[in-house]
Amino acid sequence: MNQQSLDEIVKDVITQLHNNNEGSSSGIPIGVSARHCHLDKIALERLFGEGYELTKKANLGQPGQFASNETVTIVGPKGSIEKVRILGPLRKSSQVEVSQTDAFKLGLKPPIRDSGNLSNSSPITIVGPKGSIFLHEGLIIAQAHIHMSPENAEHYGVQNGEHVRVKVGNERRPIQFEKVLIRVSKKYKLEMHIDTDEANAGIVKTGNYGELLKAGSSYD
Ligand SMILES: [Zn+2]
């Protein structure tokens, strides 16, 4: 084998490694969101007691957001799920985000929604160590989305509220996500959020990378 063909093989191998989602660092970093809930102050105190405050377990990808040590049980008509992590800081209204698999287990039919858009979402019961609450609405399956800064948006040529496609080039099980919502804010760091069902469909893990593809006008 001559030096030139060896060089070509090496180049091919490097290209393949880069195309593999574990190896690329030029794309959109992906964060897989397990089921979790956001609470308002009233809900936290009902579940954990008056004056209770969340304690931080780990920082999340987005600045200021954290996973707390506290967990709750969520209950639906067909079943319950324990150890659902509470994410902080507290929000204006309580919200529970699950996967479709979780929803089947609970016996509920939550809509796919952007975070915070809770109107007519599913009811859910939340049980904590000191009490429980029933939310008339608040259970959703989160719409896949990408957090990004205005600079990122300019780089990718996209705008807040736009939908895009994202390809994840996992060699054995490549997958393409459709209708991924772009969310732009100065507070955001570049990161795509998908739930565990979406991740499992393509064996995608937190820290993998996706390639943003413009969707054109196909979703408008
Ligand atoms: Zn997110």
Side-chain angles (χ1 to χ4, degrees):
M1 186 182 292
N2 63 33
Q3 187 59 40
Q4 196 191 350
S5 55
L6 186 62
D7 285 348
E8 276 171 14
I9 290 167
V10 170
K11 214 175 116 198
D12 281 352
V13 169
I14 290 169
T15 305
Q16 272 176 21
L17 283 173
H18 273 280
N19 289 342
N20 185 312
N21 62 355
E22 310 246 0
S24 169
S25 60
S26 61
I28 312 280
I30 298 173
V32 180
S33 301
R35 65 181 79 94
H36 63 269
C37 70
H38 301 279
L39 297 177
D40 59 25
K41 189 169 160 46
I42 293 169
L44 180 72
E45 294 197 340
R46 289 268 290 278
L47 298 168
F48 288 85
E50 215 183 309
Y52 194 88
E53 290 191 18
L54 293 174
T55 60
K56 190 187 286 187
K57 178 185 167 75
N59 286 314
L60 297 174
Q62 294 306 309
Q65 304 294 305
F66 63 91
S68 75
N69 290 300
E70 290 76 12
T71 61
V72 290
T73 298
I74 54 174
V75 186
K78 279 195 176 164
S80 62
I81 300 174
E82 292 180 353
K83 294 194 169 64
V84 178
R85 185 77 49 199
I86 301 170
L87 302 191
L90 295 177
R91 288 200 180 178
K92 286 203 181 100
S93 53
S94 297
Q95 167 181 329
V96 181
E97 297 177 40
V98 295
S99 67
Q100 180 62 63
T101 303
D102 294 335
F104 285 135
K105 186 171 183 197
L106 296 167
L108 291 164
K109 289 182 178 171
I112 295 173
R113 288 285 177 80
D114 309 335
S115 186
N117 179 5
L118 303 176
S119 172
N120 291 317
S121 58
S122 290
I124 185 73
T125 298
I126 307 176
V127 182
K130 293 277 172 68
S132 66
I133 52 170
F134 174 77
L135 302 179
H136 288 276
E137 50 189 27
L139 183 74
I140 62 166
I141 295 172
Q143 174 89 39
H145 57 277
I146 303 173
H147 296 272
M148 60 170 70
S149 67
E151 291 75 26
N152 296 141
E154 201 182 330
H155 172 77
Y156 287 104
V158 295
Q159 292 186 333
N160 187 55
E162 187 178 334
H163 291 101
V164 297
R165 299 190 166 97
V166 176
K167 191 169 129 187
V168 182
N170 184 324
E171 199 179 307
R172 296 268 172 193
R173 193 173 287 178
I175 189 167
Q176 190 162 303
F177 294 96
E178 300 282 332
K179 210 166 184 182
V180 179
L181 177 69
I182 298 289
R183 299 178 65 181
V184 181
S185 165
K186 278 185 204 155
K187 296 181 296 182
Y188 290 157
K189 216 176 106 186
L190 184 65
E191 190 177 44
M192 173 171 171
H193 286 164
I194 55 175
D195 71 22
T196 47
D197 280 357
E198 292 171 305
N200 290 344
I203 316 182
V204 179
K205 295 182 182 72
T206 291
N208 287 170
Y209 289 84
E211 181 189 346
L212 188 152
L213 307 170
K214 287 275 280 179
S217 58
S218 55
Y219 298 133
D220 299 337

